Amino acid sequence: MAYKLVVDSCCDITDDMKEWKDFEIIPLTLQIGDYIIKDDADFNQDDFISRMTASSELAKSACPSPEAFADACKGDYDEVYLMTITDKLSGSYNSAVQGVELYREEHNDGKKIHVFNSLATSGLETIMAHKIKELADSGKEFEEVVAEAEEYCVKNCGLYFCLESLDALKGNGRLFNLAANVIEALRVKLICRRTDYGNISVAGKDLTQKRALSKLANLVAKDTEGCGLKGKVCIISHVCCEDKANYVKELISSLCGYDDKNIFVIKASGLNSLYASNGGIIVSFSK
């Protein structure tokens, strides 16, 4: 069966993904005042963060249109797998669902299409994209790919993040699930995690980011304790702080059972750079 894999630009792209065939990235839109760009392959993290830092206006994002997802479903494919950022943080998932409905209205071709809610962001979308591709390439039936990938997302994946600033998340209303007393304590460095429902919850805090990052690495170690990590992946996405990301990589390498070749340090996508902001670290992992 010929299939296509489509993700939104919240998915942090690894080098191997750039060579994938029948793969498409639907960009979100990023805005700082009058400056508006697509979160695509031309995104320049350093330039964007410099503009964010210099601007007095809050950086914002807009999800892709349903038409963009509908167009992505076109082509000579038997199956299409779409995946987006968690529906708790963006309208991208709902836009993708509407896009499939638009496609169905115009095409009666019997094509099998599924929209995955990644229940996360960043490198966890990346891990899920690899898992969906692995399952589809194995020759499994469409329904098996969907069921196994959905289960894998909840049971075998995790994500923690530690940011220098929560202003972009707070200003855009992305912290609505955090308790009020935590909001008042934003001066400390929070370690946050994604929940099984795709929300954000607080996993820990500390006075300095270095100590918070150490706690984050220990949380990953606790979550993966007793898991067979051969072939499993850890992705450390960063926003203009590669040295810090490599420090986290060293911590995780020393604490967890990941093969060093399966721990990747990559630049965050445009959307993740906006919300994680300068100095932000996001750790996504499979277990």
Side-chain angles (χ1 to χ4, degrees):
M1 291 288 189
Y3 75 89
K4 182 179 183 181
L5 176 56
V6 181
V7 300
D8 64 13
S9 63
C10 187
C11 181
D12 291 335
I13 303 301
T14 51
D15 287 340
D16 64 318
M17 296 172 77
K18 297 173 185 177
E19 307 300 323
W20 287 2
K21 296 180 180 179
D22 304 311
F23 175 63
E24 184 175 353
I25 305 165
I26 308 295
L28 282 86
T29 302
L30 311 177
Q31 179 175 2
I32 307 172
D34 295 331
Y35 178 70
I36 302 174
I37 60 169
K38 291 291 185 182
D39 182 14
D40 56 21
D42 294 325
F43 174 74
N44 184 314
Q45 187 184 80
D46 292 335
D47 177 71
F48 187 80
I49 293 301
S50 293
R51 290 174 183 270
M52 276 186 66
T53 302
S55 177
S56 60
E57 298 193 52
L58 183 69
K60 300 178 180 180
S61 64
C63 65
S65 68
E67 289 78 10
F69 286 106
D71 288 342
C73 293
K74 296 176 181 177
D76 190 18
Y77 303 101
D78 303 294
E79 304 166 351
V80 179
Y81 302 98
L82 305 168
M83 183 175 58
T84 74
I85 180 178
T86 172
D87 63 339
K88 302 301 190 296
L89 298 180
S90 170
S92 189
Y93 174 77
N94 289 331
S95 186
V97 171
Q98 292 172 26
V100 173
E101 292 175 356
L102 287 177
Y103 180 84
R104 296 293 193 202
E105 290 174 3
E106 298 179 4
H107 302 83
N108 186 25
D109 53 10
K111 186 177 295 182
K112 295 182 178 181
I113 306 173
H114 181 76
V115 182
F116 288 96
N117 179 354
S118 72
L119 302 175
T121 179
S122 190
L124 201 150
E125 261 198 70
T126 313
I127 291 169
M128 282 300 300
H130 281 81
K131 186 62 177 180
I132 294 166
K133 179 172 170 42
E134 173 193 324
L135 292 169
D137 286 345
S138 72
K140 289 181 179 291
E141 295 293 331
F142 178 82
E143 292 76 13
E144 291 180 287
V145 173
V146 170
E148 290 188 32
E150 294 277 15
E151 182 179 32
Y152 190 84
C153 182
V154 175
K155 293 185 176 181
N156 297 90
C157 295
L159 181 149
Y160 289 97
F161 64 86
C162 185
L163 312 182
E164 286 283 0
S165 169
L166 290 170
D167 289 346
L169 279 172
K170 184 182 178 184
N172 282 281
R174 282 1 186 222
L175 290 177
F176 56 87
N177 282 309
L178 298 187
N181 64 323
V182 172
I183 296 295
E184 295 173 358
L186 289 180
R187 291 177 182 172
V188 302
K189 302 305 178 185
L190 297 182
I191 307 156
C192 297
R193 64 180 289 270
R194 75 102 189 215
T195 70
D196 291 345
Y197 302 98
N199 295 319
I200 296 172
S201 69
V202 175
K205 61 181 182 289
D206 213 307
L207 294 176
T208 69
Q209 191 173 65
K210 187 171 184 179
R211 285 164 52 176
L213 291 174
S214 180
K215 285 186 176 181
L216 185 158
N218 277 282
L219 285 168
V220 174
K222 182 177 179 180
D223 280 4
T224 58
E225 186 177 4
C227 299
L229 295 180
K230 183 178 181 180
K232 300 301 173 64
V233 173
C234 178
I235 296 175
I236 304 165
S237 305
H238 71 88
V239 184
C240 299
C241 57
E242 187 173 2
D243 288 347
K244 191 186 298 181
N246 282 322
Y247 169 70
V248 175
K249 178 180 178 179
E250 290 177 6
L251 290 174
I252 291 176
S253 294
S254 65
L255 293 170
C256 306
Y258 292 101
D259 293 335
D260 190 61
K261 65 179 182 180
N262 288 334
I263 304 179
F264 301 95
V265 171
I266 60 177
K267 283 188 174 183
S269 73
L271 184 75
N272 297 315
S273 295
L274 189 164
Y275 288 110
S277 301
N278 192 25
I281 292 287
I282 307 169
V283 178
S284 311
F285 55 96
S286 57
K287 55 184 178 177

